[in-house]
Amino acid sequence: MLHFRPAFFILFLSTLLLASCTGYQKLLKSSDVTKKYEAAVQYYDKGDFFKAGTLLEDLVPLLKGRPEAEKAQFYFANTNYQQRNYVLSAYYFKAFADTYPNSIYTEEAGFLYAKSLFRDSPEFELDQTNTYTAIEAIQDFLNRYAESKFRPEAESMSLELQKKLENKAFESARLYYQVRYYQSAVTAFTSFQQQFPSSAYNEQAAFLKLSAQYSLAKESVPEKQLERYREVIPFYQFLLDTYPQSKNLKEAETMYVAAQAEIAKLKPAGTAAN
């Protein structure tokens, strides 16, 4: 009879599973709000966020005005977060914080609202509107809850998002350079240097800005060349003074010398050398 035991065990588990599903389906159709709420909390505590969330979605509007409403709304927001529905969880956490500003869950809801936006932030190659929204939400949380236990994680998220914006800005400027939009590249690298003065990319940005300006001058119409070659000089001086050990100095010096030679040829007769 031993060879029947595995089959019997599988049949037993299948029966339990069917009974469990049948019980859950009955709960979904039940009009007993209290019973459904208790079951939703049990599912939530067990980590079954799908079943808990499905029940709570029906319950939240029915529990308005009842003591259970506060916990139900917070739990429902978190079931969405746990299932990686970050757009929905952000919406429901914010709605919770607006509805229950003095709740014991409000601080955590504010943090999870910001974290939902953080999770929804796209890769740096894409539009970063959501990233700016997430940074703003994180900063608002940090201002509101300066001593929060969530502060270290919130600060870490903010730094990660700032790094993403830094990557985006640098790669956008470099793309202008690569496709030979040199004037746009110079503008973009200048903006990058101002916005991210401590970036590890700044040495490369300084060199590429110099190279873009030199290429712009070289490809310009004659009447604009003198002015544009003259702009090469301070860009080279900045690179030399700020990054005296740069591996690009030799190439930068070649462009500097060439720019000086062009300036000497192009300047009007009788004008003092720059």
Side-chain angles (χ1 to χ4, degrees), residues 169-179 185 188-189 201 204 208:
F170 178 77
E171 291 301 332
S172 295
R174 184 160 65 174
L175 180 60
Y176 282 128
Y177 177 83
Q178 290 171 339
V179 298
F189 280 124
Y201 294 121
Q204 191 176 2
L208 291 176

mmCIF file of all heavy atoms in Angstrom, residues 169-179 185 188-189 201 204 208:
data_model
loop_
_atom_site.group_PDB
_atom_site.id
_atom_site.type_symbol
_atom_site.label_atom_id
_atom_site.label_comp_id
_atom_site.label_asym_id
_atom_site.label_seq_id
_atom_site.Cartn_x
_atom_site.Cartn_y
_atom_site.Cartn_z
ATOM 1 N N ALA A 169 22.461 64.038 -17.690
ATOM 2 C CA ALA A 169 22.951 65.326 -18.174
ATOM 3 C C ALA A 169 24.271 65.168 -18.917
ATOM 4 O O ALA A 169 24.480 65.782 -19.978
ATOM 5 C CB ALA A 169 23.121 66.292 -16.999
ATOM 6 N N PHE A 170 25.160 64.344 -18.383
ATOM 7 C CA PHE A 170 26.455 64.161 -19.042
ATOM 8 C C PHE A 170 26.289 63.451 -20.381
ATOM 9 O O PHE A 170 26.880 63.862 -21.388
ATOM 10 C CB PHE A 170 27.418 63.380 -18.141
ATOM 11 C CG PHE A 170 28.748 63.136 -18.794
ATOM 12 C CD1 PHE A 170 29.677 64.156 -18.880
ATOM 13 C CD2 PHE A 170 29.056 61.898 -19.339
ATOM 14 C CE1 PHE A 170 30.907 63.957 -19.508
ATOM 15 C CE2 PHE A 170 30.271 61.677 -19.962
ATOM 16 C CZ PHE A 170 31.207 62.712 -20.043
ATOM 17 N N GLU A 171 25.513 62.386 -20.397
ATOM 18 C CA GLU A 171 25.340 61.629 -21.637
ATOM 19 C C GLU A 171 24.608 62.447 -22.694
ATOM 20 O O GLU A 171 24.886 62.313 -23.889
ATOM 21 C CB GLU A 171 24.594 60.326 -21.358
ATOM 22 C CG GLU A 171 25.392 59.310 -20.549
ATOM 23 C CD GLU A 171 26.692 58.897 -21.217
ATOM 24 O OE1 GLU A 171 26.791 58.938 -22.459
ATOM 25 O OE2 GLU A 171 27.643 58.530 -20.491
ATOM 26 N N SER A 172 23.702 63.308 -22.280
ATOM 27 C CA SER A 172 23.011 64.175 -23.242
ATOM 28 C C SER A 172 23.994 65.151 -23.880
ATOM 29 O O SER A 172 23.973 65.375 -25.094
ATOM 30 C CB SER A 172 21.884 64.948 -22.551
ATOM 31 O OG SER A 172 20.879 64.064 -22.092
ATOM 32 N N ALA A 173 24.878 65.729 -23.043
ATOM 33 C CA ALA A 173 25.891 66.645 -23.567
ATOM 34 C C ALA A 173 26.853 65.917 -24.493
ATOM 35 O O ALA A 173 27.203 66.420 -25.570
ATOM 36 C CB ALA A 173 26.653 67.288 -22.405
ATOM 37 N N ARG A 174 27.268 64.717 -24.084
ATOM 38 C CA ARG A 174 28.200 63.960 -24.917
ATOM 39 C C ARG A 174 27.560 63.547 -26.244
ATOM 40 O O ARG A 174 28.229 63.484 -27.271
ATOM 41 C CB ARG A 174 28.701 62.722 -24.166
ATOM 42 C CG ARG A 174 29.749 61.953 -24.950
ATOM 43 C CD ARG A 174 30.583 61.051 -24.079
ATOM 44 N NE ARG A 174 29.818 59.976 -23.462
ATOM 45 C CZ ARG A 174 30.391 59.004 -22.748
ATOM 46 N NH1 ARG A 174 31.713 59.007 -22.548
ATOM 47 N NH2 ARG A 174 29.652 58.060 -22.204
ATOM 48 N N LEU A 175 26.255 63.284 -26.215
ATOM 49 C CA LEU A 175 25.566 62.931 -27.451
ATOM 50 C C LEU A 175 25.605 64.096 -28.445
ATOM 51 O O LEU A 175 25.818 63.892 -29.641
ATOM 52 C CB LEU A 175 24.121 62.524 -27.161
ATOM 53 C CG LEU A 175 23.282 62.118 -28.376
ATOM 54 C CD1 LEU A 175 23.904 60.909 -29.090
ATOM 55 C CD2 LEU A 175 21.848 61.794 -27.962
ATOM 56 N N TYR A 176 25.389 65.315 -27.955
ATOM 57 C CA TYR A 176 25.510 66.487 -28.829
ATOM 58 C C TYR A 176 26.894 66.513 -29.475
ATOM 59 O O TYR A 176 27.037 66.810 -30.666
ATOM 60 C CB TYR A 176 25.297 67.779 -28.038
ATOM 61 C CG TYR A 176 23.856 68.117 -27.737
ATOM 62 C CD1 TYR A 176 23.439 68.413 -26.439
ATOM 63 C CD2 TYR A 176 22.908 68.183 -28.763
ATOM 64 C CE1 TYR A 176 22.123 68.737 -26.166
ATOM 65 C CE2 TYR A 176 21.585 68.519 -28.494
ATOM 66 C CZ TYR A 176 21.202 68.784 -27.192
ATOM 67 O OH TYR A 176 19.899 69.112 -26.927
ATOM 68 N N TYR A 177 27.906 66.220 -28.670
ATOM 69 C CA TYR A 177 29.277 66.223 -29.190
ATOM 70 C C TYR A 177 29.462 65.142 -30.254
ATOM 71 O O TYR A 177 30.054 65.386 -31.304
ATOM 72 C CB TYR A 177 30.249 66.014 -28.029
ATOM 73 C CG TYR A 177 31.695 65.938 -28.446
ATOM 74 C CD1 TYR A 177 32.442 67.098 -28.659
ATOM 75 C CD2 TYR A 177 32.320 64.709 -28.636
ATOM 76 C CE1 TYR A 177 33.775 67.043 -29.061
ATOM 77 C CE2 TYR A 177 33.649 64.635 -29.032
ATOM 78 C CZ TYR A 177 34.373 65.808 -29.236
ATOM 79 O OH TYR A 177 35.685 65.740 -29.642
ATOM 80 N N GLN A 178 28.946 63.947 -29.967
ATOM 81 C CA GLN A 178 29.135 62.826 -30.884
ATOM 82 C C GLN A 178 28.448 63.031 -32.231
ATOM 83 O O GLN A 178 28.943 62.574 -33.259
ATOM 84 C CB GLN A 178 28.639 61.534 -30.228
ATOM 85 C CG GLN A 178 29.516 61.064 -29.076
ATOM 86 C CD GLN A 178 28.908 59.917 -28.294
ATOM 87 O OE1 GLN A 178 27.688 59.699 -28.325
ATOM 88 N NE2 GLN A 178 29.738 59.165 -27.585
ATOM 89 N N VAL A 179 27.312 63.725 -32.231
ATOM 90 C CA VAL A 179 26.592 63.964 -33.493
ATOM 91 C C VAL A 179 26.990 65.301 -34.124
ATOM 92 O O VAL A 179 26.331 65.779 -35.043
ATOM 93 C CB VAL A 179 25.053 63.888 -33.295
ATOM 94 C CG1 VAL A 179 24.641 62.508 -32.820
ATOM 95 C CG2 VAL A 179 24.553 64.961 -32.335
ATOM 96 N N ALA A 185 26.625 71.245 -27.690
ATOM 97 C CA ALA A 185 27.478 70.492 -26.768
ATOM 98 C C ALA A 185 28.160 71.420 -25.772
ATOM 99 O O ALA A 185 28.200 71.146 -24.566
ATOM 100 C CB ALA A 185 28.522 69.691 -27.542
ATOM 101 N N ALA A 188 25.607 72.543 -23.285
ATOM 102 C CA ALA A 188 25.207 71.449 -22.393
ATOM 103 C C ALA A 188 26.311 71.118 -21.391
ATOM 104 O O ALA A 188 26.029 70.868 -20.212
ATOM 105 C CB ALA A 188 24.843 70.219 -23.207
ATOM 106 N N PHE A 189 27.562 71.119 -21.825
ATOM 107 C CA PHE A 189 28.667 70.838 -20.896
ATOM 108 C C PHE A 189 28.816 71.967 -19.867
ATOM 109 O O PHE A 189 29.116 71.712 -18.698
ATOM 110 C CB PHE A 189 29.982 70.638 -21.657
ATOM 111 C CG PHE A 189 30.127 69.270 -22.269
ATOM 112 C CD1 PHE A 189 30.356 69.132 -23.628
ATOM 113 C CD2 PHE A 189 30.022 68.123 -21.489
ATOM 114 C CE1 PHE A 189 30.491 67.864 -24.200
ATOM 115 C CE2 PHE A 189 30.154 66.858 -22.047
ATOM 116 C CZ PHE A 189 30.386 66.730 -23.405
ATOM 117 N N TYR A 201 32.560 63.190 -13.563
ATOM 118 C CA TYR A 201 32.620 63.378 -15.013
ATOM 119 C C TYR A 201 33.195 64.744 -15.415
ATOM 120 O O TYR A 201 33.377 65.013 -16.602
ATOM 121 C CB TYR A 201 31.223 63.275 -15.630
ATOM 122 C CG TYR A 201 30.569 61.926 -15.537
ATOM 123 C CD1 TYR A 201 29.345 61.773 -14.878
ATOM 124 C CD2 TYR A 201 31.147 60.798 -16.107
ATOM 125 C CE1 TYR A 201 28.724 60.536 -14.798
ATOM 126 C CE2 TYR A 201 30.537 59.555 -16.030
ATOM 127 C CZ TYR A 201 29.325 59.434 -15.369
ATOM 128 O OH TYR A 201 28.721 58.203 -15.292
ATOM 129 N N GLN A 204 36.304 65.008 -17.772
ATOM 130 C CA GLN A 204 35.975 64.656 -19.153
ATOM 131 C C GLN A 204 35.095 65.726 -19.793
ATOM 132 O O GLN A 204 35.253 66.057 -20.975
ATOM 133 C CB GLN A 204 35.280 63.299 -19.189
ATOM 134 C CG GLN A 204 35.135 62.720 -20.586
ATOM 135 C CD GLN A 204 34.539 61.323 -20.583
ATOM 136 O OE1 GLN A 204 34.194 60.772 -19.532
ATOM 137 N NE2 GLN A 204 34.396 60.750 -21.769
ATOM 138 N N LEU A 208 35.919 67.693 -23.272
ATOM 139 C CA LEU A 208 34.989 67.615 -24.398
ATOM 140 C C LEU A 208 34.411 68.992 -24.743
ATOM 141 O O LEU A 208 34.144 69.285 -25.916
ATOM 142 C CB LEU A 208 33.873 66.618 -24.090
ATOM 143 C CG LEU A 208 34.296 65.148 -24.032
ATOM 144 C CD1 LEU A 208 33.131 64.267 -23.619
ATOM 145 C CD2 LEU A 208 34.847 64.690 -25.388
#
